[in-house]
């Protein structure tokens, strides 16, 4: 990731957290002047979720070429496959495995019951969410689960939602690990999502991030017999044993 020195000074906490996942190159007047990078202990081999960001996980299906948003929409129209569009790159969404789908099913059931009679609505993929870093920088993603609290106000005439979910859940797979833990974390944080759950079936862990003013202000990892707790929805919780029952 490349940022200028002013952006680093204004959002140091955000980029300090992101540096645990990838190197941050700092520029001044267009010239690279420094690099913010994580300290890595070569003598230990921890397998926690946050450290797996450093693995050379297979990039989820992308040819690495930049495309316009219009080209992405045209591809979507012509294909029956599912795609996402993040920072100019088009990604094919692969078919998920059983543990991935069970985690989604369990969490959606918990969310559905919790939000009965409340304003917010849980939604499940496939469901396009359009996120803008700026007026020109448009992204299109399909989170595994999302909690939407302004559905009625943000539905357009074509019946598409054009707001920002309050809470987003992504369930990791080997092919999406790097995307979900780096690219999507930054995208959701930058575009106004308040809370992000990263669900890891391999390690049977859930990490919950709280975003405020486009920065990470808190995060907690839950595992073993613990119960995941939402930061923004009081009383919303999920037992780890129930999420990962296989």
């Amino acid at each position: 990731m490349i940022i200028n020195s002013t952006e680093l000074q204004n959002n140091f906490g955000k980029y300090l957290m992101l540096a645990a996942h990838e190197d941050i190159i700092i520029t001044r007047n267009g010239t690279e002047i420094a690099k913010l990078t994580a300290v890595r202990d070569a003598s230990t081999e921890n397998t926690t979720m946050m450290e797996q960001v450093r693995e050379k996980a297979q990039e989820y299906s992308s040819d690495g070429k930049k495309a316009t948003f219009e080209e992405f929409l045209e591809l979507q129209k012509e294909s029956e496959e599912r795609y996402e569009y993040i920072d100019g790159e088009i990604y094919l969404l692969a078919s998920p495995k059983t543990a991935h789908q069970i985690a989604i099913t369990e969490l959606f059931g918990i969310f559905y019951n919790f939000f009965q009679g409340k304003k917010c609505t849980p939604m499940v993929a496939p469901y396009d969410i359009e996120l803008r870093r700026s007026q020109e920088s448009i992204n299109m993603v399909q989170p595994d689960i999302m909690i939407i609290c302004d559905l009625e106000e943000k539905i357009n005439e074509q019946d598409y939602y054009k707001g920002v979910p309050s809470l987003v859940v992504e369930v990791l797979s080997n092919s999406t690990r790097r995307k979900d833990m780096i690219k999507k974390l930054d995208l959701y944080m930058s575009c106004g999502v308040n809370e992000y759950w990263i669900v890891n079936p391999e390690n049977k862990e859930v990490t919950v991030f709280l975003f405020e003013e486009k920065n990470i202000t808190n995060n907690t990892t839950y595992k073993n017999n613990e119960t995941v707790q939402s930061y923004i929805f009081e009383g919303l919780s999920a037992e780890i044993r129930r999420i990962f029952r296989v």
Side-chain angles (χ1 to χ4, degrees), residues 3-220:
I3 60 171
N4 60 47
S5 56
T6 301
E7 172 71 9
L8 177 66
Q9 291 171 0
N10 292 339
N11 299 281
F12 184 74
K14 163 185 171 180
Y15 291 110
L16 189 63
M17 183 70 72
L18 289 176
H21 312 321
E22 63 175 318
D23 292 344
I24 309 294
I25 305 299
I26 299 99
T27 65
R28 179 180 295 155
N29 298 324
T31 302
E32 296 182 2
I33 60 171
K35 179 168 71 173
L36 187 63
T37 187
V39 175
R40 294 171 173 82
D41 184 356
S43 65
T44 58
E45 291 293 337
N46 294 324
T47 59
T48 63
M49 186 175 70
M50 296 307 295
E51 287 181 326
Q52 286 183 352
V53 173
R54 300 173 188 151
E55 296 177 0
K56 292 184 178 178
Q58 177 183 2
E59 281 292 345
Y60 64 133
S61 302
S62 166
D63 59 12
K65 297 178 181 178
K66 297 292 183 179
T68 66
F69 187 64
E70 289 70 25
E71 289 172 331
F72 164 73
L73 293 179
E74 189 64 27
L75 176 64
Q76 253 195 342
K77 187 186 304 182
E78 295 176 353
S79 175
E80 295 183 358
E81 301 286 355
R82 293 172 54 211
Y83 295 94
E84 291 184 314
Y85 180 78
I86 302 175
D87 295 332
E89 293 188 32
I90 298 173
Y91 299 93
L92 171 65
L93 297 178
S95 178
K97 294 184 178 180
T98 302
H100 180 282
Q101 292 303 90
I102 287 177
I104 291 175
T105 302
E106 292 292 341
L107 279 171
F108 185 76
I110 292 168
F111 290 175
Y112 179 83
N113 291 329
F114 179 84
F115 286 103
Q116 284 293 294
K118 298 181 174 65
K119 179 183 178 181
C120 301
T121 302
M123 304 287 281
V124 66
Y127 191 67
D128 284 335
I129 296 295
E130 181 181 302
L131 298 175
R132 294 175 180 258
R133 294 185 186 272
S134 66
Q135 191 62 30
E136 298 77 23
S137 178
I138 308 173
N139 301 270
M140 188 75 78
V141 292
Q142 292 191 4
D144 288 320
I145 304 175
M146 61 229 86
I147 306 301
I148 297 175
C149 298
D150 57 356
L151 189 63
E152 293 183 3
E153 299 95 322
K154 295 298 177 69
I155 292 288
N156 66 12
E157 294 180 356
Q158 290 75 42
D159 197 35
Y160 289 112
Y161 174 68
K162 293 299 181 182
V164 177
S166 297
L167 185 153
V168 169
V169 177
E170 297 285 5
V171 180
L172 300 184
S173 62
N174 289 335
S175 61
T176 67
R177 186 184 309 278
R178 185 174 180 84
K179 169 202 66 174
D180 293 338
M181 296 179 69
I182 300 177
K183 291 180 180 291
K184 281 194 168 181
L185 185 149
D186 181 63
L187 179 67
Y188 295 147
M189 177 173 58
S190 301
C191 294
V193 173
N194 301 126
E195 184 167 310
Y196 181 33
W197 292 28
I198 298 180
V199 179
N200 189 340
E202 182 177 345
N203 284 359
K204 293 181 168 42
E205 294 179 350
V206 177
T207 297
V208 180
F209 291 90
L210 175 65
F211 301 143
E212 295 176 327
E213 297 181 355
K214 300 182 179 181
N215 204 347
I216 298 172
T217 56
N218 212 337
N219 70 92
T220 304

